[in-house]
Amino acid sequence: MKVKYISRCACGAITLIFENGASNSMYEETFEKIKHKLDLSEASELSKTYMCDHCVNHWGIDLCECGSGERVGECECESCKAHDELGVKFDSFANLIKNFS
């Protein structure tokens, strides 16, 4: 996966935009856990944003699939599935970290 752009939001989330146009948002701590598995060699950092999918739409690889904005596994709906594409592909935050660690 080659990352084309990295966007940081005032909310503290990071959004990665891949060369195929797909994007995934996450808490910075999630990014720190998986960044060593990503190809960031050609990534450019965009200007800071003040709204992103993570804080506005509650979409992220570490956010609950129900759209509450709560972290995966910490939501009162008790789901352990993520909302965003990478989270859906790997089914849960724990599996995502396991596959990218």
Side-chain angles (χ1 to χ4, degrees):
M1 279 190 251
K2 192 172 269 191
V3 178
K4 190 170 183 176
Y5 301 106
I6 299 172
S7 176
R8 297 178 188 272
C9 183
C11 75
I14 293 176
T15 300
L16 303 177
I17 303 164
F18 298 90
E19 62 187 346
N20 66 358
S23 65
N24 294 102
S25 298
M26 64 203 77
Y27 289 109
E28 186 166 2
E29 65 193 47
T30 303
F31 174 69
E32 292 298 322
K33 290 178 183 176
I34 67 170
K35 74 178 183 181
H36 67 282
K37 290 285 194 169
L38 300 169
D39 184 351
L40 302 171
S41 61
E42 297 177 21
S44 300
E45 190 149 343
L46 300 175
S47 299
K48 186 175 185 177
T49 63
Y50 293 90
M51 61 177 115
C52 67
D53 277 339
H54 208 258
C55 63
V56 174
N57 297 317
H58 304 293
W59 295 341
I61 64 172
D62 46 13
L63 295 179
C64 185
E65 68 176 339
C66 77
S68 67
E70 297 296 322
R71 292 176 187 262
V72 172
E74 296 179 10
C75 184
E76 62 184 40
C77 80
E78 299 180 6
S79 174
C80 288
K81 293 183 180 178
H83 185 274
D84 211 345
E85 297 166 24
L86 279 177
V88 171
K89 180 178 178 185
F90 291 101
D91 189 45
S92 72
F93 182 62
N95 284 333
L96 177 77
I97 295 301
K98 182 174 74 178
N99 281 282
F100 280 93
S101 295

